[in-house]
Amino acid sequence: MDVLSDLLHRARARNTQIRQLIHRPPWSMTFAEAPPLTVVAALGGHASVRLDDDPEVAPVRLAAGDVALISGIDRYTISDAPDTPPQVVVRGGRKQVIDSGTAARQSLAPRTYGDGLPGATTLLRGAYELRGDVGERLLETLPRLAVVPTEPRTRAALDLLAAEVAREEPGQDAVLNRLLDLLLVLALRAWCARPQAELPSWYRALATPAVGEALRMLHEDPAHRWTVAELAARVGQSRAAFAARFTGVVGEPPLTYLTGWRMALAADLLRDTEETVAAVARAVGYADAFAFSVAFKRARGVSPSGWRRKDGQDGGSGQEG
């Protein structure tokens, strides 16, 4: 499993939400306390996306078939035009109507809301509630705002998602979640394939011979007692050449990356399971619980037991319901 696939698999929470929104202009919705990662796509009509947390980023326009990825933003607005005042604020899953003259939004079908009137814009919005430290690592790899113009592969995935979102059949949530993942990955690929793209380090790493393979091995078996020499031998390079190449592409040496990945996995195991500290240590590659505790405290500033107590006092994973 490659790095992006592994991060998506481990970071995805169960309460992913997918909604179809149908609004006739003028309309505007602000999402406050927004989820960490959102996929917005225009099925018909057009829309404007504005990052309220980052006014230096100009609003972007979505035409039919375009996909926007929004990550690491606490507040953003989707509207028919950049200057349309917010009519509704969504916070914690609840809507607050600001404009009393706003037309009533009603449920039109499963997961489908709006006015359903002629001339309306139809949007798909998929929100990911990412969990824990692995979720944070995933967000670090993503752009804050990326717009992917319509193209054949993303359009095909979008059409499949649009065909399923208003249905209510056995296994529907599983189908929708997998289609949303497909759209996300295809959109990221398309965004990174642009000639002018400034590629994130994870994408450069996956596409770099030897480095991408080494990352795959580290993610597939983080508990293995990896050495730089073994990684280099497995990818067919000298130790020095491999270490230099890995560090140059990823931005940190192989074993530093491995330690960071292990600590992220451990933090989430401590948060989400009742495994003992010794069991968590073994799961992430430490035979000695004491050595693990020292490494964890160095990385997180608190012991594994202290981390678990602190997380419990903070109310679990901190996800919104």
Side-chain angles (χ1 to χ4, degrees), residues 110-152:
R111 309 174 192 83
T112 303
Y113 302 89
D115 48 43
L117 298 174
T121 294
T122 302
L123 298 174
L124 276 179
R125 178 179 176 270
Y128 286 88
E129 288 288 355
L130 304 177
R131 58 172 177 248
D133 279 45
V134 173
E136 290 296 324
R137 287 177 75 92
L138 174 59
L139 288 177
E140 290 172 0
T141 72
L142 301 176
R144 287 166 65 85
L145 175 62
V147 175
V148 179
T150 184
E151 56 99 26

Side-chain angles (χ1 to χ4, degrees), residues 53-68:
D53 279 358
D54 195 346
E56 294 185 2
V57 177
V60 297
R61 185 179 187 274
L62 300 183
D66 293 351
V67 179

Side-chain angles (χ1 to χ4, degrees), residues 34-55:
L37 174 60
T38 306
V39 180
V40 177
L43 299 180
H46 65 271
S48 173
V49 179
R50 182 180 72 241
L51 303 186
D52 299 325
D53 279 358
D54 195 346

Side-chain angles (χ1 to χ4, degrees), residues 25-30 46-52 55 57-62 76-87:
W27 59 270
S28 181
M29 300 182 69
T30 294
H46 65 271
S48 173
V49 179
R50 182 180 72 241
L51 303 186
D52 299 325
V57 177
V60 297
R61 185 179 187 274
L62 300 183
Y76 61 87
T77 298
I78 307 174
S79 58
D80 67 304
D83 56 352
T84 301
Q87 300 167 341

Side-chain angles (χ1 to χ4, degrees), residues 85-277:
Q87 300 167 341
V88 174
V89 175
V90 180
R91 179 182 284 107
R94 298 188 177 185
K95 294 181 181 178
Q96 175 189 355
V97 177
I98 298 175
D99 182 356
S100 59
T102 300
R105 267 60 175 177
Q106 57 184 329
S107 176
L108 304 174
R111 309 174 192 83
T112 303
Y113 302 89
D115 48 43
L117 298 174
T121 294
T122 302
L123 298 174
L124 276 179
R125 178 179 176 270
Y128 286 88
E129 288 288 355
L130 304 177
R131 58 172 177 248
D133 279 45
V134 173
E136 290 296 324
R137 287 177 75 92
L138 174 59
L139 288 177
E140 290 172 0
T141 72
L142 301 176
R144 287 166 65 85
L145 175 62
V147 175
V148 179
T150 184
E151 56 99 26
R153 295 216 295 175
T154 56
R155 185 74 223 201
L158 188 55
D159 289 344
L160 284 172
L161 191 54
E164 291 289 336
V165 71
R167 301 169 72 97
E168 196 64 271
E169 298 180 2
Q172 199 69 33
D173 286 342
V175 171
L176 290 172
N177 288 343
R178 282 158 179 77
L179 287 176
L180 184 62
D181 284 347
L182 173 63
L183 180 61
L184 170 63
V185 173
L186 290 178
L188 279 169
R189 284 179 179 174
W191 183 76
C192 290
R194 300 170 309 149
Q196 72 275 26
E198 294 182 7
L199 298 181
S201 60
W202 65 266
Y203 197 87
R204 294 197 307 271
L206 296 182
T208 302
V211 176
E213 178 65 11
L215 284 171
R216 183 190 63 77
M217 291 188 290
L218 294 178
H219 277 254
E220 284 186 349
D221 192 3
H224 183 74
R225 292 189 175 184
W226 293 106
T227 64
V228 177
E230 181 180 2
L231 286 168
R234 290 203 184 190
V235 299
Q237 292 191 346
S238 70
R239 183 184 184 284
F242 167 73
R245 186 64 170 157
F246 189 103
T247 303
V249 173
V250 178
E252 57 186 349
L255 297 189
T256 302
Y257 179 92
L258 175 60
T259 298
W261 179 232
R262 284 172 167 175
M263 293 302 106
L265 295 176
D268 288 351
L269 284 171
L270 291 166
R271 173 186 293 111
D272 299 333
T273 74
E274 296 182 356
E275 296 284 352
T276 64
V277 171

